[in-house]
Amino acid sequence: TKDVLLVSPAITQTWGTLAPASITSGQNDYNPTGLKYANILTLTNDNVRYITGLAGGFPGRNITLHVLETAQGPVILRDESTSSTAANRFSLPARRVFIWPGDSVDLFYDVNTSRWDTKGAPVSAVSRDDFIDDADDFLGGVSGTGTATEAGEHIGKLNWRSTANGTAASTSPAGVAGHPGIVRLVTGATSGNDTRLHLGNTATDDIFPFNKIAYFAAIVRPVDTTSNRIKVGAGIDLGDGTVGAWGADGIFFEFDTATSANWRVITRAASTNTLTTSGIALANNDWDQLEFFRLTNGNISFWINETLIATSTANIPTTVMANVGFFVETQTAALRSLEIDWCRIRTTRLGQRFT
């Protein structure tokens, strides 16, 4: 007879499905009780939540993370985050990987990097004809002047249009490191002049019902933070310059020099607002990442630079139709500019689209 030596790390598959407690905060070195016996984790959460690392890795181990449809929002994995121990970190194909409710991602522990890696993109049961998930890096430049009488059109992959109140022009400045495609919205030099970037032909075109916008994100920076007003997100009248409003209904980020030095986040239904002032101030030429998520329960989760700012539970528009886009207005006798680097829009399931 011969002796046979089994080395336990070579046994790469543990077994069983583990349903940890709901994730109610960001998780570093995530290590729910029973992890070492599971090869499937079924996850839920109370809001959008990040996981920066996963314990229990050894060479060849495989594990599936599945976010249940009852979760309030996606679980987001962050690449190479120093918030987790090196051996527990993820080595991902992107800076962030979103696992939306109903989706799964397969991970394996890579012996070469001592990191968790993905086997591919998250697996979704949702057909591509059932929802929209698209992003724009604005690499295509600007066609048209974007004045009050001529709309700038064919902007970016999604063919955004730029319209204005007063004389203005949208331009495409040279890219900078990390920001290869930029659109600059420029107002006229008369107080009250504004410029917008939006889908559709006009700032009031109906594009999506509010309750079908699952996620909106953009990266923007002001060229000047004095005497101006900026809005980013969704509204029913993207030409409405009134402070705190984008028509009677909206879900948006707002900056108004006369009101606060910080970004404010607003949900607005039937001309009534729920508003939170963030602790994040705008700075000239600093890029900010703005995101809102519609949670499974219908609440709106606002994030700035990957920090949760507020979760709005009231005055949330539902079936009213909305447009999405950007707005900048000068409040002095000088032009003002807003630069847009990137935008992503995801809808909830749209259902059967034929009759």
Side-chain angles (χ1 to χ4, degrees), residues 26-325:
Q27 297 295 307
N28 305 320
D29 299 309
Y30 186 46
N31 189 16
T33 302
L35 174 62
K36 66 181 179 180
Y37 302 115
N39 62 348
I40 300 174
L41 298 185
T42 56
L43 305 178
T44 188
N45 55 28
D46 68 331
N47 205 318
V48 179
R49 297 298 178 191
Y50 280 84
I51 299 178
T52 66
L54 181 66
F58 56 77
R61 185 177 184 184
N62 292 265
I63 195 163
T64 297
L65 304 183
H66 176 68
V67 177
L68 298 174
E69 290 192 0
T70 54
Q72 288 302 319
V75 169
I76 304 175
L77 308 184
R78 183 176 278 137
D79 181 58
E80 292 291 353
S81 172
T82 57
S83 296
S84 281
T85 303
N88 293 338
R89 295 174 192 165
F90 302 109
S91 178
L92 303 173
R95 193 175 61 82
R96 300 185 295 171
V97 169
F98 287 62
I99 315 175
W100 296 90
D103 282 2
S104 301
V105 66
D106 294 326
L107 301 173
F108 71 95
Y109 199 81
D110 190 336
V111 64
N112 297 306
T113 61
S114 297
R115 297 287 194 273
W116 290 100
D117 205 342
T118 61
K119 292 184 177 180
V123 178
S124 174
V126 182
S127 160
R128 284 293 300 183
D129 66 356
D130 199 29
F131 73 108
I132 295 166
D133 190 349
D134 218 335
D136 208 327
D137 253 311
F138 301 105
L139 299 175
V142 174
S143 170
T145 62
T147 65
T149 56
E150 180 185 357
E153 52 188 312
H154 308 304
I155 298 173
K157 181 174 71 172
L158 299 182
N159 287 327
W160 301 79
R161 297 197 67 165
S162 174
T163 55
N165 170 34
T167 302
S170 298
T171 64
S172 295
V176 297
H179 307 274
I182 299 172
V183 169
R184 179 182 293 159
L185 302 184
V186 184
T187 72
T190 300
S191 181
N193 284 175
D194 66 66
T195 303
R196 325 103 186 200
L197 187 73
H198 50 78
L199 297 177
N201 290 319
T202 74
T204 58
D205 276 9
D206 295 338
I207 305 297
F208 308 106
F210 278 102
N211 62 1
K212 293 296 184 181
I213 304 173
Y215 174 62
F216 176 90
I219 297 175
V220 302
R221 69 174 177 182
V223 178
D224 193 314
T225 57
T226 60
S227 302
N228 68 354
R229 184 172 297 143
I230 296 169
K231 304 180 190 185
V232 177
I236 63 172
D237 182 1
L238 273 56
D240 184 356
T242 307
V243 65
W246 235 2
D249 299 84
I251 304 170
F252 58 99
F253 299 81
E254 181 180 74
F255 168 74
D256 180 67
T257 303
T259 304
S260 173
N262 297 340
W263 284 109
R264 309 191 308 164
V265 298
I266 298 171
T267 56
R268 177 175 171 85
S271 299
T272 302
N273 286 0
T274 295
L275 183 152
T276 300
T277 299
S278 77
I280 298 178
L282 278 74
N284 290 352
N285 297 311
D286 279 359
W287 294 102
D288 284 326
Q289 178 176 279
L290 312 177
E291 300 173 284
F292 72 73
F293 300 80
R294 179 177 289 273
L295 303 181
T296 301
N297 61 14
N299 294 337
I300 302 298
S301 180
F302 289 99
W303 295 69
I304 300 178
N305 300 334
E306 298 180 12
T307 297
L308 177 61
I309 301 302
T311 301
S312 182
T313 62
N315 299 312
I316 300 170
T318 54
T319 58
V320 176
M321 297 296 289
N323 203 335
V324 294

